[in-house]
């Protein structure tokens, strides 16, 4: 036991030193938010279409995509993705050819083509983004699942069951550019475009929405269109103009749409479909914003879908303070000042479902001013909490943030990510890939648990408060039969269970409560033989726990942090886990790079380069605080 505790002290010192050395002058931390190769691929394709001659970036993106190819010829989102990923492989193959740095006769390209053909060709892609990029660049027709939604939906009043603002914020900013392009049957190509026709099986069309499944959606759309009959004669032009304005009004200062690379790329194609010149300032600013999202290493680069600067800075500052770094330390002060400057002050789309609330949230990326989220907000509030004791400006900021967080609680008692009460189940029936996960923004166990943890541990709220009771009630009622919870934005059941257990304990739910006991027992059941924890990204597709059979640093830290929260004394399992986590900190292999962030089941996973350091530091600090040195 003593040996474990002395090693804990050493590792805490090493990790705090690691972070201290990497803080930027403005108080922020910048770690790569890595999301597979898809944004790298789409950036190459877009740059070639626009004739943007940034050969340095294109060649680095090309090198990175090529380096990620698997021996079988495919690309994967994560190491144990069975059979490879057909959509990612199509994206990669297309971009490698379009870059001009690879030829169809190159051995890697021959393997890639063979793989895509063996999986059934382009028609087997299950990613709406892949389909949209292929359609926008003339390689396939527009998918029926997009083109069957009329552009006029943007004019539907918000009281109708089917209207644009029933979709989640992140699906809206992707859907609108696609609807514009599909409406105009847009495609653009160049004389250097690869010919992918030998990857198309003309008999395939997996996109036709089933009339039976979509009857209610079609009926809602028909109702909406009938409501518009009394509007101006040029209703279609009005819808097109409003869709264009929708995009333009949500461009951030860096030129990106909503600070996402994916929606920015779609926006540029949509603007081209609206006959914007390729060198239009809005398009050039978007290209500049995309270019700034690159993370460079060696001779390679990757495009981050939305750099995680706010998230990383908030988490790191909080972890440092938990490890014993004082609030008056320069690193904490600078991080606090940076976060304070990034608090939102605009009543953007989130306020449509949450009227009358003063803005006070934080977003994920440095340039994000329109799209705050619950998780980033509680992370920033944790990081700034201690600073409010000495500086009134922080107290005001904390009050606004707390007010915003409480106002974001859904009617069902849980918390969403971005927007309140956007849980219209009808939208999940759309034949759009990932609609179930992307179209709506419902209450989730990870968000609800982490919010309760903040409200309980930092604000002193407990079960005497009705809104806390409703939040805890939602969590307890959404526990899985086996004792776990599903986490939407991390992988996956380990993540959700950690958030739920720490949240419930923070608001005063007893260690002996059945839900707490079951959750802790489940974590112990899925502990690996080496003492760590590891879960496969496959979990969020099959919607049940799938072991990775290897331990990862962040998942081990989450499981341990949950167990530390519920165990008065360190058990043998926890001590074994701590020893294994410290072992993982010394390693640098695929397990330390395995993606443990989730975006869209089956089609978008994130490897946060910061996670292998942040979560172990937090967990080691909590172990030391609870059990002593």
């Amino acid at each position: 036991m003593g040996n474990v505790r002395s090693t804990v002290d050493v590792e805490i010192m090493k990790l705090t030193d690691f972070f201290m050395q990497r803080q930027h002058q403005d108080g922020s931390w910048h770690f790569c938010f890595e999301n597979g190769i898809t944004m790298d691929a789409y950036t190459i394709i877009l740059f070639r279409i626009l004739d943007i001659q940034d050969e340095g970036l294109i060649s680095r993106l090309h090198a990175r995509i090529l380096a990620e190819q698997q021996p079988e010829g495919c690309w994967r989102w994560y190491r144990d993705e069975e059979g490879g990923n057909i959509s990612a492989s199509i994206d990669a193959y297309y971009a490698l050819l379009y870059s001009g740095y690879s030829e169809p006769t190159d051995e890697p390209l021959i393997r890639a083509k063979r793989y895509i053909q063996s999986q059934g060709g382009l028609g087997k892609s299950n990613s709406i983004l892949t389909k949209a990029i292929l359609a926008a660049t003339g390689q396939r027709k527009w998918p029926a699942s997009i083109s069957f939604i009329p552009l006029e939906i943007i004019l539907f009043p918000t009281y109708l069951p089917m209207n644009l603002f029933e979709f989640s914020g992140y699906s809206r900013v992707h859907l609108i550019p696609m609807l514009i392009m599909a409406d105009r049957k847009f495609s653009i190509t160049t004389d250097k475009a690869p010919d992918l026709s030998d990857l198309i099986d003309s008999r395939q069309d997996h996109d036709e929405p089933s009339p039976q499944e979509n009857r209610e959606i079609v009926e809602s759309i028909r109702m909406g269109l009938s409501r518009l009959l009394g509007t101006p004669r040029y209703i279609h032009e009005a819808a097109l103009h409003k869709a264009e304005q929708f995009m333009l009004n949500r461009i951030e200062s860096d030129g990106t749409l909503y600070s996402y690379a994916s929606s920015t790329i779609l926006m540029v194609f949509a603007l081209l479909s609206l006959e914007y010149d390729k060198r239009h300032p809005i398009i050039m600013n978007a290209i500049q914003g995309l270019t700034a999202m690159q993370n460079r290493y060696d001779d390679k680069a990757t495009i981050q879908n939305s750099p995680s600067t706010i998230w990383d800075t908030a988490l790191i500052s909080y972890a440092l303070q938990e490890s014993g770094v004082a609030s008056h330390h320069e690193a904490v002060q600078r991080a606090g000042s940076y976060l304070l400057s990034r608090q939102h002050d605009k009543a953007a789309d989130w306020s449509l479902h949450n009227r009358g609330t003063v803005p006070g949230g934080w977003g994920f990326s440095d340039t994000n001013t329109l799209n705050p989220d619950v998780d980033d907000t509680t992370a920033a509030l944790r990081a700034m909490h201690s600073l409010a004791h000495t500086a009134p400006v922080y107290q005001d900021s904390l009050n606004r943030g707390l007010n915003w967080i409480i106002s974001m609680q859904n009617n069902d008692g849980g918390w969403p990510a971005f927007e309140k009460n956007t849980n219209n189940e009808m939208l999940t029936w759309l034949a759009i890939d990932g609609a179930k996960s992307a179209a709506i923004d419902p209450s989730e166990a990870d968000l609800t648990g982490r919010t309760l943890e903040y409200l309980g541990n930092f604000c002193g709220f407990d079960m005497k408060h009705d809104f806390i009771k409703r939040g805890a009630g939602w969590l307890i009622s959404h526990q899985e039969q086996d004792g776990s919870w599903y986490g939407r934005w991390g992988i996956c059941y380990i993540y959700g269970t950690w958030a739920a257990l720490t949240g419930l304990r923070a608001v005063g739910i007893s260690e002996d409560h059945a839900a707490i006991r079951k959750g802790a027992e489940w974590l112990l059941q899925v502990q690996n033989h080496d003492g760590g924890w590891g879960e496969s990204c496959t979990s969020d597709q099959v919607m049940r726990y799938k072991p990775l059979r290897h331990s990862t640093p962040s998942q081990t830290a989450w499981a341990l942090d949950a167990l530390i929260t519920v165990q008065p004394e360190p058990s043998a399992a926890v001590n074994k886990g701590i020893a294994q986590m410290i072992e993982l900190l010394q390693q640098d292999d695929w397990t330390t790079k395995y993606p443990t962030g989730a975006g869209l089941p089956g089609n978008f996973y994130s490897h946060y380069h910061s996670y292998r350091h942040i979560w172990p530091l937090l967990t080691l600090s909590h172990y030391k605080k609870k059990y002593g040195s």
Side-chain angles (χ1 to χ4, degrees), residues 196-425:
L196 303 184
S197 58
D198 53 355
L199 294 177
I200 296 170
D201 183 339
S202 59
R203 294 164 300 178
Q204 290 176 352
D205 191 347
H206 301 282
D207 296 313
E208 290 301 335
S210 152
Q212 190 64 33
E213 288 174 13
N214 286 273
R215 188 181 300 155
E216 200 169 330
I217 295 172
V218 170
E219 191 52 46
S220 288
I221 290 174
R222 193 177 293 127
M223 188 202 312
L225 288 171
S226 71
R227 297 285 308 185
L228 297 173
L229 288 177
T231 57
R233 202 170 125 223
Y234 300 109
I235 182 174
H236 192 70
E237 286 79 357
L240 197 60
H241 176 71
K242 190 165 183 181
E244 179 184 358
Q245 291 307 308
F246 177 92
M247 296 188 301
L248 298 182
N249 293 341
R250 287 159 182 79
I251 294 175
E252 291 284 12
S253 61
D254 63 351
T256 65
L257 176 58
Y258 240 46
S259 70
Y260 294 136
S262 48
S263 55
T264 302
I265 290 164
L266 291 174
M267 175 186 74
V268 171
F269 280 118
L271 292 174
L272 293 174
S273 80
L274 294 169
E275 298 176 7
Y276 278 59
D277 186 86
K278 287 181 179 181
R279 292 292 178 272
H280 191 286
I282 292 175
I283 289 178
M284 289 296 97
N285 287 343
I287 294 304
Q288 212 172 340
L290 270 178
T291 304
M293 286 178 163
Q294 69 176 295
N295 183 275
R296 286 176 63 169
Y297 57 101
D298 306 327
D299 59 342
K300 304 178 188 72
T302 187
I303 301 291
Q304 305 167 89
N305 195 44
S306 45
S308 53
T309 319
I310 304 288
W311 181 239
D312 284 332
T313 300
L315 292 178
I316 292 164
S317 176
Y318 166 56
L320 287 173
Q321 291 175 70
E322 289 295 280
S323 76
V325 176
S327 60
H328 59 258
H329 191 286
E330 187 191 7
V332 176
Q333 290 286 330
R334 278 172 31 207
S337 178
Y338 169 81
L339 290 169
L340 186 68
S341 72
R342 297 306 191 275
Q343 188 170 23
H344 289 198
D345 56 12
K346 295 177 187 171
D349 287 349
W350 60 266
S351 64
L352 289 169
H353 292 278
N354 188 5
R355 295 189 185 278
T357 297
V358 175
W362 277 263
F364 185 73
S365 298
D366 182 73
T367 57
N368 179 337
T369 67
L370 300 169
N371 190 29
D373 68 89
V374 167
D375 231 357
D376 277 284
T377 301
T378 60
L381 292 171
R382 283 184 193 89
M384 292 163 54
H385 183 80
S386 64
L387 301 174
H389 301 313
T390 51
V393 67
Y394 285 107
Q395 190 58 60
D396 176 61
S397 173
L398 258 64
N399 289 341
R400 280 202 297 133
L402 173 61
N403 179 58
W404 189 81
I405 281 294
I406 293 172
S407 79
M408 286 295 289
Q409 186 175 25
N410 282 333
N411 292 345
D412 64 11
W415 271 268
F418 298 98
E419 292 183 9
K420 184 176 179 175
N421 295 329
T422 45
N423 192 16
N424 183 347
E425 199 184 325

Side-chain angles (χ1 to χ4, degrees), residues 51-67:
D51 195 26
I52 304 289
Q53 293 175 350
D54 186 342
E55 294 309 310
L57 177 57
I58 291 171
S59 66
R60 286 191 295 273
L61 294 174
H62 170 272
R64 196 259 166 152
I65 294 172
L66 204 54

Side-chain angles (χ1 to χ4, degrees), residues 51 103 106 215 464 468 487 493 600:
D51 195 26
E103 297 293 332
D106 293 349
R215 188 181 300 155
K464 293 194 295 289
I468 296 291
Y493 289 92
L600 194 59

Side-chain angles (χ1 to χ4, degrees), residues 483-512:
S484 67
W485 279 268
Y486 170 74
R488 165 69 176 85
W489 298 96
I491 305 298
C492 199
Y493 289 92
I494 293 174
Y495 187 69
T497 304
W498 160 67
L501 289 177
T502 52
L504 290 172
R505 284 292 295 127
V507 296
I509 301 289
S510 161
E511 293 159 359
D512 297 324

Side-chain angles (χ1 to χ4, degrees), residues 22 135 146 236 285 323 333 469 613 626:
R22 283 162 179 78
I146 290 294
H236 192 70
N285 287 343
S323 76
Q333 290 286 330
K469 194 185 294 182
H613 311 287
K626 184 158 186 179

Side-chain angles (χ1 to χ4, degrees), residues 522-537:
W522 179 81
L523 283 173
L524 291 169
Q525 283 165 18
V526 300
Q527 186 174 19
N528 291 333
H529 292 303
D530 64 10
W533 280 260
E535 181 176 357
S536 171
C537 294

